[in-house]
Amino acid sequence: MDGMRVPRQRGVLEEEWETHRPAVFGAAYRLLGSVADAEDVAQDVWLRAATADLRDVRDLRAWLLTVAARRSYDILKSARVRRETYVGPWLPEPLLTGPDASEPVLVDESVGSAMLLVMEELKPSERVAFILHDVFGLEFSQIADVLGASAAAARQLASRARRKVAAARQCTPRASRSERERLVTTFRNAYEAGDMAGLVRLLHPDAVFVSDGGGKLAAARKSIHGGARIAMVMVRVGRRWRPDSIEVVEVGGESALLLRRDGRVVSVDTLEIKDGLIAAYRRVLNPEKLAHV
């Protein structure tokens, strides 16, 4: 056996994988905005690791993340074509991140729905460079291998993405956790009561309502603008829906609402706050995006 490389023992690799899997899944989810795709990527990475000779790999976390990013990058490039044929607005799949979440993930601003939508506006290469470097701390030489570019080019892509992200953050600063919890709870109470005036008081005059049904069920195919109009639509829809329960949950590290009817999750709603009011209300209705919730 002298001179031959010996792969990690299966048991040791499994232990290391359990430590790094949340980061692998978290990177793929941030890049793709899809829980199902991130799960597939994580499975692909595990299969690759289980059959690879990792003896000379000094930083297994970085190796796993680059494999996940390379696979996600391929999916991202093809996803651009799928987005063009998607029916109605596209929203990222909600990821439960509270204490009862089924999938542990590194939680920070980059898994919030608002930031994932900003990520969606970036070029795939910019997105990969930004997430791998700014969120997961990989070196640009490692990122360059994923993108098939030079380290200098990877650095430039990350810098360009960082400027775009900073501009988006400046337009809508992140609300504090306590403010979010207060607004979400107050909004839920007004929504359950059908209190239109109460909803109007909580919605920014220039608020936008976006619903993602993916063509699977009835949903507005265009955004609805204006706090008063949104309140009217939500009260009307609430009366027709008659949800059994509306729960305050944590999605992407932020307070959100989960609606059930007949024991089934029918929507997950995330909110974006500006100047102490709800500036954007995003509702995921597509059952394919709620299957994991």
Side-chain angles (χ1 to χ4, degrees):
M1 296 292 290
D2 288 346
M4 295 180 61
R5 294 194 219 173
V6 180
R8 278 174 168 81
Q9 293 180 356
R10 180 78 175 206
V12 173
L13 178 60
E14 288 177 349
E15 289 180 7
E16 293 176 313
W17 170 248
E18 287 306 311
T19 299
H20 299 304
R21 186 188 187 284
V24 170
F25 174 87
Y29 176 72
R30 286 167 172 83
L31 289 169
L32 301 172
S34 165
V35 174
D37 285 345
E39 289 281 12
D40 289 343
V41 168
Q43 182 63 20
D44 288 347
V45 173
W46 162 248
L47 292 175
R48 171 79 184 279
T51 56
D53 181 355
L54 302 176
R55 184 182 181 188
D56 294 337
V57 174
R58 295 184 178 181
D59 186 343
L60 182 62
R61 176 180 179 274
W63 186 90
L64 293 170
L65 285 171
T66 56
V67 174
R70 194 171 291 116
R71 178 70 184 115
S72 298
Y73 186 41
D74 290 339
I75 296 173
L76 262 181
K77 288 183 287 188
S78 64
R80 291 273 166 164
V81 178
R82 296 203 307 271
R83 295 281 195 275
E84 293 175 1
T85 59
Y86 194 82
V87 179
W90 179 92
L91 293 173
E93 290 184 23
L95 175 68
L96 294 180
T97 52
D100 297 328
S102 59
E103 183 61 55
V105 66
L106 303 176
V107 178
D108 60 25
E109 185 182 8
S110 62
V111 291
S113 61
M115 190 53 61
L116 288 174
L117 287 169
V118 173
M119 293 291 113
E120 189 67 14
E121 297 300 315
L122 301 179
K123 294 178 181 179
S125 55
E126 292 174 338
R127 195 167 178 172
V128 169
F130 176 78
I131 292 296
L132 288 184
H133 181 267
D134 286 40
V135 178
F136 290 95
L138 265 63
E139 300 292 335
F140 286 116
S141 58
Q142 298 167 315
I143 299 169
D145 289 340
V146 174
L147 298 175
S150 66
R155 183 187 300 275
Q156 190 173 43
L157 287 166
S159 178
R160 193 181 305 152
R162 195 177 301 118
R163 287 195 298 269
K164 294 176 182 179
V165 170
R169 284 173 173 160
Q170 191 171 17
C171 291
T172 310
R174 195 181 194 194
S176 68
R177 187 180 188 89
S178 60
E179 183 179 25
R180 292 190 60 83
E181 290 175 349
R182 177 185 61 81
L183 271 174
V184 168
T185 301
T186 306
F187 189 92
R188 178 192 63 178
N189 295 340
Y191 185 48
E192 287 182 319
D195 180 2
M196 189 178 301
L199 293 178
V200 171
R201 285 194 296 271
L202 294 168
L203 289 160
H204 195 282
D206 299 323
V208 59
F209 176 91
V210 182
S211 57
D212 176 350
K216 308 298 180 183
L217 38 73
R221 296 195 178 182
K222 292 184 178 181
S223 302
I224 300 171
H225 295 265
R229 188 172 175 220
I230 293 170
M232 181 181 66
V233 169
M234 295 197 74
V235 169
R236 186 172 69 237
V237 171
R239 288 171 180 163
R240 187 173 72 243
W241 268 23
R242 299 181 184 279
D244 300 333
S245 65
I246 303 177
E247 306 167 35
V248 176
V249 295
E250 185 181 288
V251 172
E254 298 176 341
S255 299
L257 296 175
L258 184 149
L259 283 68
R260 297 181 190 271
R261 190 172 64 243
D262 299 326
R264 181 173 57 89
V265 176
V266 292
S267 86
V268 173
D269 303 352
T270 56
L271 290 66
E272 188 173 327
I273 297 168
K274 181 179 181 180
D275 300 329
L277 297 172
I278 298 168
Y281 195 100
R282 303 184 179 100
R283 170 167 281 174
V284 176
L285 295 161
N286 187 341
E288 292 181 357
K289 294 186 175 185
L290 299 176
H292 64 280
V293 178

